[in-house]
Amino acid sequence: MSEKRMSSSKKHSLKGLMLQVAKELLEAEEIEKKEERKRYMEEHCPTLSNPSSKQELQELCKELHAKIEAVDEERYILEHKAIMVVNEVKDLNIKIVDLKGKFKKPPLKKVRMSADAMLQALLGSKHKVSMDLRANLKQVKKEVKEEDKELRDVGDWRKNIEDKAGMGGRKKMFESEA
């Protein structure tokens, strides 16, 4: 249980080191992303050569139009697939809602069951286990104290008040206690 606690200066220095390492990692990741982007552009987009004649310019335009058509077709196919997936997800969500609505959970009722009946339900009728816990208890006779008896046998409250009314009643009350 004895845990050694770090001092606040050590915590701050460790935190500073962690932040410095994280900053270096982020910078390295950013440089790597820039290089990856540059490589991709070099592979997929060759340098544009300025045509000198009209015929070369027309050929370049035809090539660019062919590439644009290919990209548009690919984009259309991907959009169509995405729309289909979104619609399928919507349909599945609707099915889930329908299934949840069909099967309502019934409100559970409290069932009074003895311990014997519970064990029999759990273990089956093969196992005979008796859980009569009251059988092992001792019989205790209840002693009734006289004071409790007197308090219970007060009788008619109006009569008590009349007896205790006035100075004579108070005198009787003090005499009975003494």
Short mmCIF file of all heavy atoms in Angstrom, two decimals, residues 69-79:
data_model
loop_
_atom_site.label_atom_id
_atom_site.label_comp_id
_atom_site.label_asym_id
_atom_site.label_seq_id
_atom_site.Cartn_x
_atom_site.Cartn_y
_atom_site.Cartn_z
N GLU A 69 -13.72 11.77 -67.79
CA GLU A 69 -14.84 10.82 -67.93
C GLU A 69 -14.63 9.60 -67.04
O GLU A 69 -15.57 9.13 -66.38
CB GLU A 69 -15.00 10.39 -69.39
CG GLU A 69 -15.75 11.36 -70.25
CD GLU A 69 -15.98 10.85 -71.66
OE1 GLU A 69 -16.08 9.61 -71.85
OE2 GLU A 69 -16.04 11.68 -72.56
N ALA A 70 -13.41 9.08 -67.02
CA ALA A 70 -13.11 7.90 -66.19
C ALA A 70 -13.33 8.23 -64.70
O ALA A 70 -13.93 7.45 -63.95
CB ALA A 70 -11.69 7.43 -66.43
N VAL A 71 -12.85 9.41 -64.29
CA VAL A 71 -13.01 9.82 -62.89
C VAL A 71 -14.48 10.03 -62.56
O VAL A 71 -14.96 9.62 -61.50
CB VAL A 71 -12.18 11.09 -62.61
CG1 VAL A 71 -12.52 11.68 -61.26
CG2 VAL A 71 -10.70 10.77 -62.67
N ASP A 72 -15.24 10.67 -63.48
CA ASP A 72 -16.67 10.89 -63.25
C ASP A 72 -17.42 9.57 -63.13
O ASP A 72 -18.31 9.42 -62.28
CB ASP A 72 -17.28 11.74 -64.37
CG ASP A 72 -17.05 13.23 -64.17
OD1 ASP A 72 -16.67 13.62 -63.05
OD2 ASP A 72 -17.25 14.00 -65.13
N GLU A 73 -17.06 8.61 -63.98
CA GLU A 73 -17.72 7.31 -63.93
C GLU A 73 -17.42 6.61 -62.60
O GLU A 73 -18.33 6.06 -61.96
CB GLU A 73 -17.23 6.45 -65.11
CG GLU A 73 -18.02 5.18 -65.29
CD GLU A 73 -17.59 4.43 -66.55
OE1 GLU A 73 -17.27 5.07 -67.55
OE2 GLU A 73 -17.60 3.19 -66.47
N GLU A 74 -16.17 6.66 -62.18
CA GLU A 74 -15.80 6.05 -60.90
C GLU A 74 -16.52 6.73 -59.73
O GLU A 74 -17.02 6.08 -58.82
CB GLU A 74 -14.28 6.15 -60.71
CG GLU A 74 -13.75 5.36 -59.54
CD GLU A 74 -12.23 5.43 -59.45
OE1 GLU A 74 -11.56 5.59 -60.48
OE2 GLU A 74 -11.74 5.32 -58.31
N ARG A 75 -16.60 8.07 -59.79
CA ARG A 75 -17.30 8.84 -58.76
C ARG A 75 -18.78 8.45 -58.72
O ARG A 75 -19.35 8.26 -57.65
CB ARG A 75 -17.16 10.34 -59.02
CG ARG A 75 -17.81 11.21 -57.95
CD ARG A 75 -17.65 12.69 -58.25
NE ARG A 75 -18.06 13.08 -59.58
CZ ARG A 75 -19.32 13.37 -59.93
NH1 ARG A 75 -20.29 13.30 -59.05
NH2 ARG A 75 -19.60 13.72 -61.17
N TYR A 76 -19.41 8.31 -59.90
CA TYR A 76 -20.82 7.94 -59.98
C TYR A 76 -21.04 6.55 -59.35
O TYR A 76 -21.97 6.36 -58.58
CB TYR A 76 -21.29 7.95 -61.43
CG TYR A 76 -22.70 7.44 -61.60
CD1 TYR A 76 -23.79 8.22 -61.27
CD2 TYR A 76 -22.93 6.14 -62.07
CE1 TYR A 76 -25.08 7.75 -61.41
CE2 TYR A 76 -24.22 5.65 -62.20
CZ TYR A 76 -25.29 6.45 -61.87
OH TYR A 76 -26.55 5.98 -62.00
N ILE A 77 -20.17 5.61 -59.66
CA ILE A 77 -20.29 4.25 -59.12
C ILE A 77 -20.15 4.27 -57.60
O ILE A 77 -20.94 3.64 -56.88
CB ILE A 77 -19.25 3.30 -59.77
CG1 ILE A 77 -19.60 3.07 -61.24
CG2 ILE A 77 -19.16 1.99 -59.02
CD1 ILE A 77 -18.51 2.36 -62.03
N LEU A 78 -19.16 5.02 -57.11
CA LEU A 78 -18.95 5.10 -55.66
C LEU A 78 -20.14 5.78 -54.96
O LEU A 78 -20.55 5.35 -53.89
CB LEU A 78 -17.65 5.84 -55.34
CG LEU A 78 -16.36 5.09 -55.70
CD1 LEU A 78 -15.15 5.98 -55.47
CD2 LEU A 78 -16.24 3.81 -54.89
N GLU A 79 -20.68 6.84 -55.58
CA GLU A 79 -21.85 7.51 -55.00
C GLU A 79 -23.04 6.56 -54.94
O GLU A 79 -23.76 6.52 -53.93
CB GLU A 79 -22.24 8.74 -55.83
CG GLU A 79 -21.41 9.97 -55.53
CD GLU A 79 -21.85 11.16 -56.38
OE1 GLU A 79 -22.83 11.05 -57.15
OE2 GLU A 79 -21.22 12.21 -56.26
#
